[in-house]
Amino acid sequence: MGRRALLGAGIGGAALSLLPFLSGSAGATPPEEAATTTAPPRRPTTADAEMLGQLQALELTAQALYTEAVNVGGWSDEQAALVSFILEAHRAYGQSLSGLLGRDAPGRRNDELFDAWRADFTGAPDQVLAAAYDLESALVATHTEVLASLEGTNGAASISSMLINEARFCTALADLNGSTDNSELLVDDEADSLVGQG
Amino acid sequence: MTNDRSNSTPQPLEQQFDRRGLFRIGGLSATALALVACGQTEAGEIGRVGVGQPTPELEAEVVNDGVLMRTMAGVSTSIANAYAHILEGGALAGSSDTLPDLGDQTDLVTLFHEHHVEAAARFNELAVEAGEEAWECGNTRLDSAYISPIFTRVEDGVPATGAAQAIPPSDDPTRDMINLVHALESMSAASCQAMVASVSMPAQRVAAMEIGVRSARQAALVALRINPGGYALTPAQEAATQDTVAAEETTTTVAADAPVAPPLTPIDLPVAIPGHFGLLSPTTWIGGAGDENGVRLRVNFETPSLNSLAYPFYSCAAG
């Protein structure tokens, strides 16, 4: 038996040994009910990324508005401490969304909204606090509306951690502005969502 | 030489207790014991042949949207029940030595009570929509392990035991009850936030967050009633808090000959905004009178987890 004959016999044997495996695979049919999962995706989907990008622009707009307010001055120490705290919070929210979205993050504010709100954030401290209350309430409404459309849980969890704090900002701002009305402090009338504006 | 010692001649004492004698006495004793044991007349149960009951298996823990929603319904009901208990006791209408400017918070907590009754109904609607039965009672784990022990400690104290002195009822029940309201609102907000990443349907996320938003605002408002002007912790205050915890941890043991009463566990004042992001960490409640070492009761309220979920095989009727 020559070398060529040996090689031929080896290949033929290998083919024979694979035959059952190959025939089994070819003959396999998918199960009648394919395994499904109801677990939502973790990472933001393409549609999520677009919505989260718009939210990031809103957070950066809020950061820019509070920066304007702080620069105007006239604040008491207590007022300055809270407004600075909220400014830093919005900065952190924008950065957090940058981390979540990566290259899909717009990384810039919404200029139209900034221009629309700017005058309210450069007035007297009590006017700025009232405007900030309205802005935070609008952000709560906006995030809640977007939450209903997000598919990925990472984005939803991130937004919820911002949303729940922005709700607290409203109460703190109303209290700092001297309100004693429980319906105002607890924001019985939420502002309109900013989705689609600007 | 013979081993026969059956003669009647008394032997000297040394010979009676030689080694062979001791062996003989031991053997007789063992034989006597065996005879006594065999003389028992009761035969006992005859061994049986067969297969016994199998080891019972725990039912599968199903964690789905319906279970999570009815768990949240139970949490809301527990909070509402706790507020009803607080309002019935009238502690909020009293004065507080620790918080002299607190004022009567009865109306505010009545408002909070209504919110949690409505929240429980909403969560139950979502549970039924998700295919589970409604959960109409409080969360059993939250009630038994957290809320009830707090009420007992504040209202009744702890009786003396063989190892510890009695602890009297709270030195300031108004302070403890309003702090409990803050802790429960904070836990409610955190629990709703935690649901967002756990449930699969967007409608449930939104409903949970709408309730959580209200709870967060209620937590902020009651924090400001307890601690007027306490909006947020400054970096310096955060550092001071850490120092307080460290100091507390190093002074829990009191020398036996200490001439003064041991310091009481400090109770931190809450703030309206405890962090830049919504927190999922436990909310600590500290209250009640101190024990003989000055240590008050400390309870960490956490978001619902595997031990506190209302699984399908649980029911309110079973407790």
Side-chain angles (χ1 to χ4, degrees):
Chain A
M1 187 175 280
R3 201 171 57 177
R4 184 167 296 175
L6 277 172
L7 277 173
I11 290 169
L16 280 173
S17 65
L18 284 172
L19 195 59
F21 174 74
L22 293 171
S23 62
S25 296
T29 54
E32 290 181 2
E33 290 182 11
T36 59
T37 175
T38 56
R42 300 185 69 180
R43 293 285 306 158
T45 62
T46 306
D48 286 356
E50 189 176 338
M51 287 184 281
L52 292 169
Q54 291 172 8
L55 293 187
Q56 192 206 25
L58 286 180
E59 294 298 342
L60 296 178
T61 305
Q63 177 198 334
L65 288 168
Y66 280 104
T67 304
E68 291 280 319
V70 168
N71 290 338
V72 167
W75 300 98
S76 67
D77 289 345
E78 193 174 46
Q79 290 170 333
L82 179 61
V83 171
S84 299
F85 182 93
I86 296 176
L87 188 163
E88 290 304 321
H90 286 295
R91 188 197 310 275
Y93 302 159
Q95 291 170 343
S96 170
L97 288 168
S98 273
L100 188 67
L101 296 173
R103 290 183 177 182
D104 292 333
R108 60 179 178 274
R109 73 185 185 206
N110 182 321
D111 284 333
E112 277 188 57
L113 280 176
F114 177 79
D115 292 339
W117 285 81
R118 188 169 180 275
D120 295 330
F121 274 79
T122 51
D126 58 339
Q127 292 173 328
V128 175
L129 291 175
Y133 173 91
D134 291 339
L135 176 65
E136 297 300 339
S137 178
L139 288 173
V140 167
T142 308
H143 288 342
T144 306
E145 185 178 339
V146 170
L147 204 56
S149 306
L150 291 176
E151 292 181 67
T153 53
N154 284 355
S158 182
I159 291 303
S160 65
S161 71
M162 302 170 196
L163 160 60
I164 206 113
N165 243 29
E166 286 167 343
R168 288 175 182 261
F169 295 165
C170 295
T171 303
L173 287 163
D175 184 87
L176 184 61
N177 213 14
S179 175
T180 55
D181 179 2
N182 284 341
S183 65
E184 186 181 10
L185 288 159
L186 296 173
V187 197
D188 283 348
D189 297 319
E190 201 79 83
D192 292 335
S193 164
L194 298 172
V195 171
Q197 293 187 33
Chain B
M1 183 173 277
T2 176
N3 287 332
D4 184 11
R5 293 180 186 266
S6 61
N7 57 36
S8 58
T9 307
Q11 294 180 351
L13 195 60
E14 298 82 19
Q15 289 182 8
Q16 285 181 19
F17 288 100
D18 63 2
R19 195 171 63 175
R20 183 165 297 171
L22 284 172
F23 276 134
R24 184 176 290 118
I25 291 168
L28 285 171
S29 301
T31 305
L33 283 171
L35 287 171
V36 168
C38 293
Q40 191 175 0
T41 55
E42 295 177 12
E45 293 285 333
I46 300 172
R48 294 174 58 195
V49 177
V51 180
Q53 293 283 343
T55 306
E57 291 182 8
L58 289 174
E59 295 188 61
E61 50 180 41
V62 178
V63 181
N64 56 29
D65 291 348
V67 167
L68 294 170
M69 289 296 103
R70 74 189 212 133
T71 300
M72 288 304 296
V75 169
S76 292
T77 303
S78 287
I79 296 172
N81 291 344
Y83 290 168
H85 180 93
I86 293 170
L87 292 167
E88 190 180 325
L92 295 176
S95 61
S96 167
D97 292 337
T98 319
L99 308 168
D101 299 327
L102 179 64
D104 187 351
Q105 301 300 323
T106 302
D107 290 346
L108 190 67
V109 176
T110 302
L111 203 62
F112 293 0
H113 174 265
E114 290 169 10
H115 160 67
H116 287 287
V117 170
E118 291 169 9
R122 179 75 184 112
F123 279 127
N124 269 331
E125 283 175 13
L126 292 166
V128 172
E129 285 173 15
E132 295 291 341
E133 289 182 19
W135 185 268
E136 303 287 357
C137 59
N139 183 284
T140 46
R141 173 85 179 161
L142 180 60
D143 287 343
S144 63
Y146 296 84
I147 296 174
S148 293
I150 287 177
F151 285 141
T152 302
R153 177 69 175 260
V154 171
E155 294 167 358
D156 305 328
V158 179
T161 66
Q165 295 176 10
I167 303 172
S170 175
D171 50 331
D172 192 341
T174 303
R175 172 206 63 203
D176 291 339
M177 291 299 106
I178 198 68
N179 279 337
L180 178 59
V181 171
H182 173 260
L184 291 174
E185 290 300 329
S186 299
M187 182 200 65
S188 173
S191 300
C192 291
Q193 184 187 332
M195 284 300 119
V196 169
S198 303
V199 296
S200 62
M201 302 298 290
Q204 293 159 348
R205 289 181 194 164
V206 171
M209 281 310 294
E210 284 171 348
I211 294 167
V213 159
R214 176 72 180 202
S215 293
R217 285 171 172 155
Q218 292 180 171
L221 182 54
V222 79
L224 290 169
R225 296 286 167 86
I226 296 168
N227 180 22
Y231 297 107
L233 291 178
T234 63
Q237 286 172 320
E238 287 180 15
T241 304
Q242 296 300 320
D243 293 343
T244 304
V245 172
E248 181 189 333
E249 286 172 352
T250 56
T251 55
T252 50
T253 304
V254 177
D257 56 350
V260 295
L264 290 167
T265 308
I267 301 174
D268 292 332
L269 291 170
V271 293
I273 312 165
H276 281 109
F277 288 85
L279 301 178
L280 295 175
S281 52
T283 304
T284 302
W285 177 91
I286 300 173
D291 65 8
E292 58 199 292
N293 293 316
V295 179
R296 301 184 197 271
L297 180 63
R298 179 194 295 261
V299 175
N300 287 326
F301 285 94
E302 299 178 11
T303 58
S305 188
L306 295 178
N307 278 343
S308 54
L309 297 184
Y311 295 108
F313 48 83
Y314 285 159
S315 68
C316 283

